[in-house]
Amino acid sequence: MKLNKTVLITGANRGIGRAIACRLASEGYDLALHCRSNIGELESVAQSIEKEFGIKASLLQFDVSDRVGTKAALEKYLSEFGAPYGVVCNAGVTADNSFPAMLGEEWDGVINTNLGSFYNVLHPLVMPMVSSRKPGRIVTMSSVSGVMGNRGQVNYSASKAGVIGATKALALELAKRNITVNCVAPGLIETDMVSEDVVENALKVIPAQRMGKPEEVAATVSFLLSEGAAYITRQVISVNGGMI
Ligand code: NDP
């Protein structure tokens, strides 16, 4: 069943973003899928979605930490397709190090990608969404690390805590416009982002005693995008097996 609603997902070529794309396609959303570098991988996600669900996604490629390039790519998208119904700000990176050893580039890279992208991606999209005068949805991706802090991730925790603050503030600004803004905070999820050496220790603090699956994060994002979630805004939903 086609919904005639488009959702733009950043970082959709792999990991959690790819799982979100597949889940939303299975529910009949039209999709705009984004990646930074691996356009071949993104094309194969789009092909499998088209084959399985008959959804032809449009593809976007830009670095979310590059404000000028992101704006240009999104304005081009908007001029062709108009404002999307939903945006999922999923793209993110880590550059872990103990704080005394942390390089300036590790701080800047993570802050500019994970938090800078909130402005870079959403600023060009929000006014067109408001002007469309239709209900809308924004979902951002934080982390358990942004909720409670995590050693070796001072940069990442700061960026993901910043995403929570920005999400809650934007939710206040857009609530009257029927656009909800919520944040998903995953725990430890099986993707390329998680290196094997952290898993053993991390499992000790996960009551569910396992890592989460990208599909389990995608299910929460899908719920927040649904019509049934129209009265949920300014919230942080954790998907973490009971970690906090
Ligand atoms: P992956 O490393 O598997 O994928 C990261 C995605 O982000 C890729 O699509 C990548 O694109 C994209 N990306 C990274 N940097 C940029 C950039 N500068 N510009 C544009 N795109 C970029 O990560 P996950 O799927 O695990 O993570 C997705 C989100 O979930 C992130 O925000 C992450 O912080 C968050 N998260 C993940 C957790 C986990 O345990 N996995 C836990 C908590 C939160 P490309 O491949 O082209 O580089």
Side-chain angles (χ1 to χ4, degrees):
M1 181 195 55
K2 245 173 110 46
L3 295 173
N4 291 321
K5 289 177 175 171
T6 302
V7 179
L8 190 155
I9 308 164
T10 65
N13 53 308
R14 57 196 172 99
I16 293 171
R18 178 175 56 195
I20 294 169
C22 295
R23 171 77 189 226
L24 297 185
S26 77
E27 292 171 352
Y29 287 95
D30 289 316
L31 296 173
L33 304 179
H34 156 271
C35 73
R36 168 180 49 181
S37 45
N38 206 333
I39 193 75
E41 203 171 38
L42 191 68
E43 279 165 357
S44 69
V45 173
Q47 278 160 14
S48 67
I49 279 174
E50 188 173 357
K51 201 167 151 206
E52 197 168 347
F53 306 110
I55 304 280
K56 192 164 167 40
S58 45
L59 306 186
L60 294 145
Q61 184 176 16
F62 52 85
D63 181 336
V64 294
S65 68
D66 167 12
R67 183 164 303 154
V68 174
T70 300
K71 187 170 192 274
L74 289 174
E75 283 179 348
K76 185 166 177 285
Y77 171 82
L78 287 165
S79 68
E80 216 174 318
F81 298 101
Y85 160 76
V87 185
V88 182
C89 294
N90 164 75
V93 285
T94 52
D96 296 355
N97 215 338
S98 66
F99 189 64
M102 187 170 284
L103 303 172
E105 302 86 77
E106 290 169 336
W107 175 268
D108 292 342
V110 168
I111 297 289
N112 294 341
T113 302
N114 297 356
L115 183 56
S117 62
F118 184 98
Y119 180 89
N120 299 343
V121 172
L122 291 176
H123 194 260
L125 295 174
V126 159
M127 266 323 288
M129 287 173 76
V130 168
S131 303
S132 77
R133 296 181 174 277
K134 292 181 187 154
R137 300 279 187 271
I138 293 170
V139 179
T140 60
M141 203 58 73
S142 181
S143 164
V144 66
S145 189
V147 177
M148 66 178 193
N150 192 22
R151 65 177 68 239
Q153 292 197 314
V154 172
N155 51 356
Y156 186 73
S157 296
S159 71
K160 292 298 190 178
V163 166
I164 291 174
T167 300
K168 290 185 173 183
L170 186 61
L172 288 172
E173 292 193 18
L174 298 183
K176 238 177 33 186
R177 312 288 191 161
N178 288 325
I179 298 173
T180 67
V181 191
N182 291 292
C183 188
V184 174
L188 199 67
I189 308 298
E190 285 170 15
T191 71
D192 299 344
M193 186 173 272
V194 178
S195 59
E196 275 179 27
D197 49 310
V198 305
V199 173
E200 196 181 319
N201 270 336
L203 286 179
K204 293 179 192 151
V205 296
I206 303 174
Q209 289 289 290
R210 66 170 177 88
M211 293 174 76
K213 297 180 192 318
E215 293 73 20
E216 291 172 317
V217 181
T220 302
V221 172
S222 141
F223 169 64
L224 289 171
L225 288 164
S226 70
E227 274 184 32
Y231 202 53
I232 300 174
T233 195
R234 205 182 167 197
Q235 303 305 305
V236 181
I237 315 282
S238 288
V239 183
N240 63 23
M243 266 174 108
I244 45 168

